[in-house]
Amino acid sequence: MAITLESMRADIAEMIHEDPDGIGIEDNLMDLGIDSMRLLNLILKWQEDGLDLDFAELADRFTLAGWWEAIETKQAGAGSRA
């Protein structure tokens, strides 16, 4: 199952008990409450959804835009191998 920007936003919002519409594309997710443990939990969820991610791919870019760029690149690469 492909992860979309909106499904990512919804997963992050659920993790921090916020409305998805309140999470801007360039908001610092650490400022919103995403710490390393929550990031690990999100990565595990997205791995269950079929995306092969690791912590280092997202740890240095704590915005939704940065994470989406990494995930979009990863999904494009996975699609070309299928």
Side-chain angles (χ1 to χ4, degrees):
M1 171 173 92
I3 295 172
T4 66
L5 179 60
E6 291 310 312
S7 70
M8 280 181 58
R9 189 187 313 260
D11 292 341
I12 293 165
E14 183 178 346
M15 182 72 60
I16 58 174
H17 309 290
E18 292 291 334
D19 187 313
D21 292 335
I23 300 173
I25 194 84
E26 293 294 339
D27 288 351
N28 183 316
L29 298 174
M30 289 180 77
D31 290 346
L32 296 178
I34 297 293
D35 56 18
S36 58
M37 289 305 295
R38 287 188 171 114
L39 173 54
L40 284 171
N41 287 329
L42 286 166
I43 289 169
L44 288 172
K45 183 203 182 314
W46 295 330
Q47 285 174 338
E48 289 172 3
D49 291 341
L51 189 60
D52 181 27
L53 276 176
D54 65 47
F55 186 85
E57 292 173 293
L58 301 182
D60 66 342
R61 29 172 133 196
F62 257 87
T63 64
L64 185 57
W67 286 6
W68 176 240
E69 180 183 4
I71 287 175
E72 195 174 36
T73 299
K74 187 68 107 167
Q75 288 184 140
S80 67
R81 289 190 305 261

Coordinates of all heavy atoms in Angstrom, one line a residue:
M1 N 0.8 -1.2 0.0 CA 0.0 0.0 0.0 C 0.9 1.2 0.0 O 1.8 1.4 0.8 CB -0.9 0.0 1.2 CG -1.6 1.3 1.5 SD -2.8 1.2 2.8 CE -1.8 1.7 4.2
A2 N 0.6 2.1 -0.9 CA 1.4 3.4 -1.0 C 1.0 4.3 0.1 O -0.2 4.5 0.4 CB 1.2 4.0 -2.4
I3 N 2.0 5.0 0.7 CA 1.8 6.0 1.6 C 1.6 7.4 0.9 O 2.4 7.7 0.0 CB 2.9 6.1 2.6 CG1 3.0 4.8 3.4 CG2 2.8 7.3 3.6 CD1 4.2 4.6 4.3
T4 N 0.6 8.1 1.3 CA 0.4 9.4 0.7 C 0.8 10.5 1.7 O 0.9 10.3 2.9 CB -1.1 9.6 0.3 OG1 -1.8 9.7 1.5 CG2 -1.5 8.5 -0.7
L5 N 1.0 11.7 1.2 CA 1.3 12.9 2.0 C 0.2 13.0 3.1 O 0.4 13.2 4.2 CB 1.4 14.1 1.2 CG 1.7 15.4 1.9 CD1 3.0 15.3 2.7 CD2 1.7 16.6 1.0
E6 N -1.1 12.9 2.6 CA -2.2 13.0 3.6 C -2.3 11.9 4.6 O -2.6 12.2 5.7 CB -3.5 13.2 2.8 CG -3.6 14.5 2.1 CD -3.2 15.7 3.0 OE1 -3.7 15.9 4.1 OE2 -2.4 16.6 2.5
S7 N -1.9 10.7 4.2 CA -1.9 9.6 5.2 C -0.8 9.8 6.2 O -1.0 9.5 7.4 CB -1.9 8.2 4.5 OG -0.6 8.0 3.9
M8 N 0.3 10.3 5.7 CA 1.4 10.6 6.6 C 1.0 11.7 7.6 O 1.2 11.6 8.8 CB 2.6 11.2 5.9 CG 3.5 10.2 5.2 SD 4.9 11.0 4.4 CE 5.6 11.8 5.8
R9 N 0.4 12.7 7.1 CA -0.1 13.8 8.0 C -1.1 13.3 9.0 O -1.0 13.6 10.2 CB -0.7 14.9 7.1 CG -1.1 16.2 7.9 CD -1.9 17.2 7.1 NE -1.4 17.4 5.8 CZ -0.6 18.5 5.4 NH1 -0.3 19.4 6.3 NH2 -0.3 18.6 4.2
A10 N -2.0 12.4 8.6 CA -3.0 11.8 9.5 C -2.3 10.9 10.6 O -2.6 11.0 11.8 CB -4.0 11.0 8.7
D11 N -1.3 10.2 10.2 CA -0.6 9.3 11.1 C 0.2 10.2 12.2 O 0.2 9.8 13.3 CB 0.4 8.4 10.4 CG -0.2 7.3 9.5 OD1 -1.4 7.0 9.8 OD2 0.5 6.8 8.7
I12 N 0.8 11.2 11.7 CA 1.5 12.1 12.6 C 0.5 12.8 13.6 O 0.8 12.8 14.8 CB 2.3 13.2 11.8 CG1 3.5 12.5 11.0 CG2 2.9 14.3 12.7 CD1 4.1 13.3 10.0
A13 N -0.6 13.3 13.0 CA -1.6 13.9 13.9 C -2.1 13.0 14.9 O -2.3 13.4 16.1 CB -2.7 14.4 13.0
E14 N -2.4 11.8 14.5 CA -2.8 10.8 15.5 C -1.8 10.5 16.6 O -2.2 10.4 17.8 CB -3.2 9.5 14.8 CG -3.7 8.4 15.7 CD -4.1 7.1 15.0 OE1 -4.1 7.1 13.7 OE2 -4.3 6.1 15.7
M15 N -0.6 10.5 16.2 CA 0.5 10.3 17.2 C 0.6 11.4 18.2 O 0.9 11.1 19.4 CB 1.8 10.1 16.4 CG 3.0 9.8 17.3 SD 3.1 8.2 18.0 CE 3.2 7.2 16.5
I16 N 0.3 12.6 17.8 CA 0.4 13.7 18.8 C -0.9 14.3 19.2 O -1.0 15.3 19.8 CB 1.3 14.9 18.2 CG1 0.8 15.4 16.8 CG2 2.8 14.4 18.0 CD1 1.5 16.6 16.2
H17 N -2.0 13.6 18.8 CA -3.3 14.0 19.2 C -3.7 15.4 18.8 O -4.2 16.2 19.6 CB -3.5 13.8 20.8 CG -3.1 12.5 21.3 ND1 -3.8 11.3 21.0 CD2 -2.0 12.1 22.0 CE1 -3.2 10.3 21.6 NE2 -2.1 10.8 22.2
E18 N -3.5 15.6 17.5 CA -3.8 16.9 16.9 C -4.7 16.7 15.7 O -4.7 15.6 15.1 CB -2.5 17.6 16.5 CG -1.6 18.1 17.6 CD -2.2 19.2 18.4 OE1 -3.0 20.0 17.9 OE2 -1.8 19.3 19.6
D19 N -5.2 17.8 15.2 CA -6.0 17.7 13.9 C -5.0 17.7 12.8 O -4.1 18.6 12.8 CB -6.9 19.0 13.9 CG -7.8 19.0 12.7 OD1 -7.4 18.7 11.5 OD2 -9.0 19.2 12.9
P20 N -5.1 16.8 11.8 CA -4.2 16.8 10.7 C -4.1 18.2 10.0 O -3.0 18.5 9.5 CB -4.8 15.8 9.7 CG -5.6 14.9 10.6 CD -6.1 15.8 11.7
D21 N -5.2 18.9 9.9 CA -5.1 20.2 9.2 C -4.2 21.2 10.0 O -3.8 22.3 9.4 CB -6.5 20.8 9.1 CG -7.4 20.0 8.1 OD1 -6.8 19.4 7.2 OD2 -8.6 20.0 8.3
G22 N -3.9 20.9 11.2 CA -3.1 21.8 12.0 C -1.6 21.6 11.8 O -0.7 22.3 12.4
I23 N -1.2 20.6 11.0 CA 0.2 20.3 10.7 C 0.6 20.8 9.3 O 0.1 20.3 8.3 CB 0.4 18.8 10.8 CG1 0.1 18.3 12.2 CG2 1.9 18.4 10.5 CD1 0.1 16.8 12.3
G24 N 1.4 21.9 9.3 CA 1.8 22.5 8.1 C 3.0 21.7 7.5 O 3.7 21.0 8.2
I25 N 3.1 21.8 6.2 CA 4.1 21.1 5.4 C 5.5 21.4 5.9 O 6.4 20.6 5.8 CB 4.0 21.3 3.9 CG1 4.8 20.3 3.1 CG2 4.3 22.7 3.5 CD1 4.1 19.0 2.9
E26 N 5.8 22.7 6.4 CA 7.1 23.1 6.8 C 7.2 23.2 8.3 O 8.2 23.7 8.8 CB 7.5 24.4 6.2 CG 7.7 24.3 4.7 CD 8.9 23.4 4.3 OE1 9.8 23.2 5.1 OE2 8.9 22.9 3.1
D27 N 6.2 22.8 9.1 CA 6.2 22.8 10.5 C 7.3 21.9 11.1 O 7.5 20.8 10.5 CB 4.9 22.4 11.2 CG 3.8 23.4 11.0 OD1 4.1 24.6 10.6 OD2 2.7 23.1 11.3
N28 N 8.0 22.4 12.1 CA 9.0 21.5 12.7 C 8.3 20.5 13.6 O 7.6 20.8 14.5 CB 10.0 22.3 13.6 CG 11.1 21.5 14.2 OD1 10.8 20.4 14.7 ND2 12.3 22.0 14.2
L29 N 8.4 19.2 13.2 CA 7.6 18.2 13.9 C 8.1 17.9 15.3 O 7.3 17.5 16.1 CB 7.7 16.9 13.0 CG 7.0 17.0 11.6 CD1 7.2 15.7 10.8 CD2 5.6 17.4 11.7
M30 N 9.3 18.2 15.6 CA 9.8 18.1 17.0 C 9.1 19.2 17.8 O 8.7 18.9 19.0 CB 11.3 18.4 17.0 CG 12.1 17.2 16.5 SD 13.9 17.5 16.6 CE 14.2 17.2 18.3
D31 N 8.9 20.4 17.3 CA 8.1 21.4 18.0 C 6.7 21.0 18.3 O 6.1 21.4 19.3 CB 8.1 22.7 17.3 CG 9.5 23.4 17.3 OD1 10.4 22.9 18.0 OD2 9.7 24.3 16.4
L32 N 6.2 20.1 17.4 CA 4.8 19.7 17.6 C 4.7 18.4 18.5 O 3.6 18.0 18.8 CB 4.2 19.3 16.2 CG 4.0 20.5 15.3 CD1 3.5 20.0 13.9 CD2 3.1 21.6 15.8
G33 N 5.8 17.9 18.9 CA 5.8 16.8 19.8 C 6.3 15.4 19.3 O 6.2 14.4 20.0
I34 N 6.8 15.4 18.1 CA 7.4 14.2 17.6 C 8.9 14.1 18.1 O 9.7 14.8 17.7 CB 7.4 14.1 16.0 CG1 5.9 14.1 15.5 CG2 8.1 12.9 15.5 CD1 5.1 12.9 15.8
D35 N 9.1 13.1 19.0 CA 10.4 12.9 19.4 C 10.9 11.6 18.8 O 10.3 11.0 17.9 CB 10.5 12.8 21.0 CG 9.5 11.7 21.5 OD1 9.1 10.8 20.8 OD2 9.2 11.8 22.7
S36 N 12.1 11.1 19.2 CA 12.7 10.0 18.5 C 11.9 8.7 18.7 O 11.8 7.9 17.8 CB 14.1 9.7 19.0 OG 14.2 9.6 20.4
M37 N 11.3 8.5 19.9 CA 10.4 7.3 20.1 C 9.2 7.4 19.2 O 8.8 6.4 18.7 CB 10.0 7.2 21.6 CG 11.2 6.8 22.5 SD 12.0 5.3 21.9 CE 10.7 4.1 22.2
R38 N 8.6 8.5 19.1 CA 7.4 8.6 18.2 C 7.8 8.4 16.8 O 7.0 7.8 16.0 CB 6.7 10.0 18.5 CG 6.0 10.0 19.8 CD 5.1 11.3 19.9 NE 4.3 11.2 21.1 CZ 4.4 12.0 22.1 NH1 5.3 12.9 22.2 NH2 3.6 11.9 23.2
L39 N 8.9 8.9 16.4 CA 9.4 8.7 15.0 C 9.6 7.2 14.8 O 9.2 6.7 13.7 CB 10.7 9.5 14.8 CG 11.4 9.2 13.4 CD1 10.5 9.4 12.2 CD2 12.7 10.0 13.3
L40 N 10.2 6.5 15.7 CA 10.4 5.1 15.6 C 9.0 4.4 15.4 O 8.9 3.5 14.6 CB 11.1 4.5 16.8 CG 12.6 4.7 16.8 CD1 13.3 4.3 18.1 CD2 13.3 4.0 15.6
N41 N 8.0 4.8 16.2 CA 6.7 4.2 16.1 C 6.1 4.5 14.7 O 5.4 3.6 14.2 CB 5.8 4.7 17.2 CG 6.2 4.1 18.5 OD1 6.6 2.9 18.6 ND2 6.0 4.8 19.6
L42 N 6.3 5.7 14.2 CA 5.7 6.0 12.9 C 6.4 5.1 11.8 O 5.8 4.6 10.9 CB 5.9 7.5 12.6 CG 5.0 8.4 13.3 CD1 5.5 9.9 13.2 CD2 3.6 8.3 12.8
I43 N 7.8 5.0 11.9 CA 8.5 4.2 11.0 C 8.0 2.8 11.0 O 7.8 2.1 10.0 CB 10.0 4.3 11.2 CG1 10.5 5.7 10.8 CG2 10.8 3.2 10.5 CD1 11.9 6.0 11.3
L44 N 7.8 2.2 12.2 CA 7.3 0.8 12.3 C 5.9 0.7 11.6 O 5.6 -0.3 11.0 CB 7.2 0.4 13.8 CG 8.5 0.2 14.5 CD1 8.3 -0.1 16.0 CD2 9.2 -1.0 13.9
K45 N 5.0 1.7 11.9 CA 3.7 1.7 11.2 C 3.9 1.7 9.7 O 3.2 0.9 9.0 CB 2.9 2.9 11.7 CG 1.5 2.8 11.1 CD 0.8 4.1 11.0 CE -0.6 4.0 10.4 NZ -0.7 3.3 9.2
W46 N 4.7 2.6 9.2 CA 4.9 2.7 7.7 C 5.6 1.4 7.2 O 5.3 1.0 6.1 CB 5.6 4.0 7.4 CG 4.8 5.2 7.7 CD1 3.5 5.3 7.8 CD2 5.3 6.5 8.1 NE1 3.1 6.5 8.2 CE2 4.2 7.3 8.4 CE3 6.6 7.0 8.3 CZ2 4.3 8.6 8.8 CZ3 6.7 8.3 8.7 CH2 5.6 9.1 8.9
Q47 N 6.4 0.8 8.0 CA 7.0 -0.5 7.5 C 5.9 -1.5 7.4 O 5.9 -2.3 6.5 CB 8.1 -0.9 8.5 CG 9.4 -0.1 8.4 CD 10.5 -0.5 9.4 OE1 10.1 -1.0 10.5 NE2 11.7 -0.2 9.1
E48 N 5.0 -1.6 8.4 CA 3.9 -2.5 8.3 C 3.0 -2.2 7.1 O 2.4 -3.2 6.5 CB 3.0 -2.4 9.6 CG 3.7 -2.9 10.8 CD 2.9 -2.6 12.1 OE1 1.8 -2.1 12.0 OE2 3.4 -3.0 13.1
D49 N 3.0 -1.0 6.6 CA 2.3 -0.6 5.4 C 3.1 -1.0 4.1 O 2.7 -0.6 3.0 CB 1.9 0.8 5.4 CG 0.9 1.2 6.5 OD1 0.2 0.3 6.9 OD2 0.7 2.4 6.8
G50 N 4.3 -1.5 4.3 CA 5.1 -2.0 3.2 C 6.2 -1.1 2.7 O 6.8 -1.3 1.7
L51 N 6.5 -0.1 3.5 CA 7.6 0.8 3.1 C 8.9 0.5 3.9 O 8.9 0.5 5.2 CB 7.2 2.3 3.4 CG 8.1 3.4 2.9 CD1 8.3 3.3 1.3 CD2 7.6 4.7 3.2
D52 N 10.0 0.2 3.2 CA 11.2 -0.1 3.9 C 12.0 1.2 4.2 O 12.7 1.7 3.4 CB 12.1 -1.0 3.0 CG 13.4 -1.4 3.6 OD1 13.4 -1.5 4.8 OD2 14.3 -1.7 2.8
L53 N 11.8 1.6 5.5 CA 12.4 2.9 5.9 C 13.3 2.5 7.1 O 13.1 1.6 7.8 CB 11.3 3.8 6.5 CG 10.6 4.7 5.5 CD1 9.5 5.5 6.3 CD2 11.5 5.7 4.8
D54 N 14.3 3.4 7.3 CA 15.0 3.3 8.6 C 15.1 4.7 9.2 O 14.9 5.7 8.6 CB 16.4 2.7 8.5 CG 17.3 3.4 7.6 OD1 17.5 4.6 7.8 OD2 18.0 2.8 6.7
F55 N 15.4 4.7 10.5 CA 15.4 6.0 11.3 C 16.3 7.1 10.6 O 15.9 8.2 10.6 CB 15.9 5.6 12.7 CG 15.9 6.8 13.6 CD1 14.7 7.0 14.3 CD2 17.0 7.6 13.9 CE1 14.6 8.1 15.2 CE2 16.9 8.6 14.8 CZ 15.7 8.9 15.5
A56 N 17.5 6.7 10.1 CA 18.4 7.7 9.6 C 17.8 8.5 8.4 O 18.2 9.6 8.2 CB 19.7 7.1 9.2
E57 N 16.9 7.8 7.7 CA 16.3 8.5 6.5 C 15.4 9.7 6.8 O 15.2 10.5 6.0 CB 15.6 7.5 5.7 CG 16.5 6.5 5.0 CD 15.7 5.3 4.3 OE1 15.1 4.6 5.0 OE2 15.8 5.3 3.1
L58 N 14.9 9.7 8.1 CA 14.0 10.7 8.5 C 14.5 11.6 9.6 O 14.1 12.7 9.8 CB 12.6 10.1 8.9 CG 11.9 9.3 7.8 CD1 10.6 8.8 8.4 CD2 11.7 10.0 6.5
A59 N 15.5 11.1 10.3 CA 15.9 11.8 11.6 C 16.5 13.2 11.3 O 16.5 14.0 12.2 CB 16.9 10.9 12.3
D60 N 17.1 13.4 10.2 CA 17.7 14.7 10.0 C 16.8 15.7 9.2 O 17.3 16.8 8.9 CB 19.1 14.6 9.2 CG 18.9 14.0 7.8 OD1 17.8 13.5 7.5 OD2 19.8 14.2 7.0
R61 N 15.6 15.4 9.0 CA 14.7 16.3 8.3 C 13.3 16.2 9.0 O 12.5 15.5 8.7 CB 14.5 16.0 6.9 CG 14.7 14.5 6.5 CD 14.4 14.2 5.1 NE 15.4 13.5 4.4 CZ 15.5 13.3 3.1 NH1 14.7 13.9 2.3 NH2 16.5 12.6 2.6
F62 N 13.1 17.1 10.0 CA 12.0 17.0 10.9 C 10.8 17.9 10.4 O 10.2 18.6 11.2 CB 12.3 17.3 12.3 CG 12.4 16.0 13.2 CD1 13.6 15.3 13.2 CD2 11.3 15.6 13.8 CE1 13.6 14.1 13.9 CE2 11.3 14.4 14.6 CZ 12.5 13.7 14.6
T63 N 10.5 17.9 9.1 CA 9.3 18.6 8.6 C 8.5 17.5 7.8 O 9.1 16.5 7.3 CB 9.6 19.8 7.7 OG1 10.3 19.3 6.5 CG2 10.5 20.8 8.4
L64 N 7.3 17.8 7.7 CA 6.5 16.9 6.8 C 7.0 16.9 5.4 O 7.1 15.9 4.8 CB 5.0 17.4 6.9 CG 4.0 16.5 6.2 CD1 4.0 15.1 6.7 CD2 2.6 17.1 6.3
A65 N 7.4 18.1 4.9 CA 8.0 18.1 3.6 C 9.2 17.3 3.4 O 9.4 16.6 2.4 CB 8.3 19.6 3.2
G66 N 10.1 17.3 4.4 CA 11.3 16.6 4.4 C 11.0 15.1 4.4 O 11.6 14.3 3.7
W67 N 10.1 14.7 5.3 CA 9.8 13.3 5.4 C 9.1 12.8 4.1 O 9.4 11.7 3.6 CB 8.9 13.0 6.6 CG 9.6 13.1 7.9 CD1 10.9 13.4 8.1 CD2 9.0 12.8 9.2 NE1 11.2 13.4 9.5 CE2 10.0 13.0 10.1 CE3 7.8 12.4 9.6 CZ2 9.8 12.8 11.5 CZ3 7.6 12.2 11.0 CH2 8.6 12.4 11.9
W68 N 8.2 13.6 3.6 CA 7.5 13.2 2.3 C 8.5 13.1 1.2 O 8.4 12.1 0.4 CB 6.5 14.3 2.0 CG 5.8 13.9 0.7 CD1 5.8 14.7 -0.4 CD2 5.1 12.7 0.3 NE1 5.1 14.1 -1.5 CE2 4.7 12.9 -1.0 CE3 4.8 11.6 1.0 CZ2 4.0 11.9 -1.7 CZ3 4.1 10.6 0.4 CH2 3.7 10.7 -1.0
E69 N 9.5 13.9 1.1 CA 10.5 13.8 0.1 C 11.3 12.5 0.2 O 11.5 11.8 -0.8 CB 11.5 15.0 0.2 CG 12.6 14.9 -0.9 CD 13.7 16.0 -0.7 OE1 13.6 16.8 0.3 OE2 14.5 16.1 -1.6
A70 N 11.6 12.1 1.4 CA 12.3 10.8 1.6 C 11.4 9.6 1.3 O 11.8 8.7 0.6 CB 12.8 10.7 3.0
I71 N 10.2 9.7 1.7 CA 9.2 8.6 1.4 C 8.9 8.5 0.0 O 8.8 7.4 -0.6 CB 8.0 8.7 2.3 CG1 8.4 8.4 3.8 CG2 6.9 7.8 1.9 CD1 7.4 8.6 4.8
E72 N 8.6 9.6 -0.7 CA 8.3 9.6 -2.1 C 9.5 9.0 -2.9 O 9.2 8.2 -3.8 CB 8.0 11.1 -2.5 CG 7.4 11.2 -3.8 CD 7.0 12.7 -4.1 OE1 7.7 13.6 -3.8 OE2 5.9 12.8 -4.7
T73 N 10.7 9.4 -2.6 CA 11.9 8.8 -3.2 C 12.0 7.3 -3.0 O 12.2 6.6 -3.9 CB 13.1 9.5 -2.7 OG1 13.1 10.9 -3.0 CG2 14.4 8.9 -3.4
K74 N 11.7 6.9 -1.8 CA 11.8 5.5 -1.4 C 10.7 4.7 -2.2 O 10.9 3.7 -2.7 CB 11.6 5.3 0.1 CG 11.8 3.9 0.6 CD 13.2 3.5 0.5 CE 13.9 3.5 1.8 NZ 15.1 2.8 1.8
Q75 N 9.5 5.3 -2.2 CA 8.4 4.6 -2.9 C 8.6 4.5 -4.4 O 8.3 3.5 -5.1 CB 7.0 5.3 -2.7 CG 6.6 5.0 -1.2 CD 5.2 5.6 -0.9 OE1 4.4 5.0 -0.3 NE2 4.9 6.8 -1.4
A76 N 9.2 5.6 -5.0 CA 9.5 5.6 -6.4 C 10.6 4.5 -6.7 O 10.5 3.8 -7.7 CB 10.0 6.9 -6.9
G77 N 11.6 4.4 -5.9 CA 12.6 3.3 -6.0 C 12.0 1.9 -5.9 O 12.4 1.0 -6.7
A78 N 11.1 1.7 -5.0 CA 10.5 0.4 -4.8 C 9.6 0.1 -6.0 O 9.6 -1.1 -6.4 CB 9.7 0.4 -3.5
G79 N 9.0 1.1 -6.5 CA 8.1 0.8 -7.7 C 8.9 0.4 -8.9 O 8.5 -0.4 -9.7
S80 N 10.1 1.0 -9.0 CA 10.9 0.6 -10.2 C 11.5 -0.8 -10.1 O 11.9 -1.3 -11.1 CB 12.0 1.7 -10.4 OG 13.0 1.6 -9.3
R81 N 11.6 -1.3 -8.9 CA 12.1 -2.7 -8.7 C 11.0 -3.7 -8.8 O 11.3 -4.9 -8.9 CB 12.8 -2.8 -7.4 CG 14.1 -2.0 -7.3 CD 14.8 -2.4 -6.1 NE 14.1 -2.2 -4.8 CZ 14.2 -1.1 -4.1 NH1 15.0 -0.1 -4.4 NH2 13.4 -1.0 -3.0
A82 N 9.7 -3.3 -8.8 CA 8.6 -4.2 -8.7 C 8.4 -4.9 -10.1 O 8.8 -4.4 -11.1 CB 7.4 -3.6 -8.3

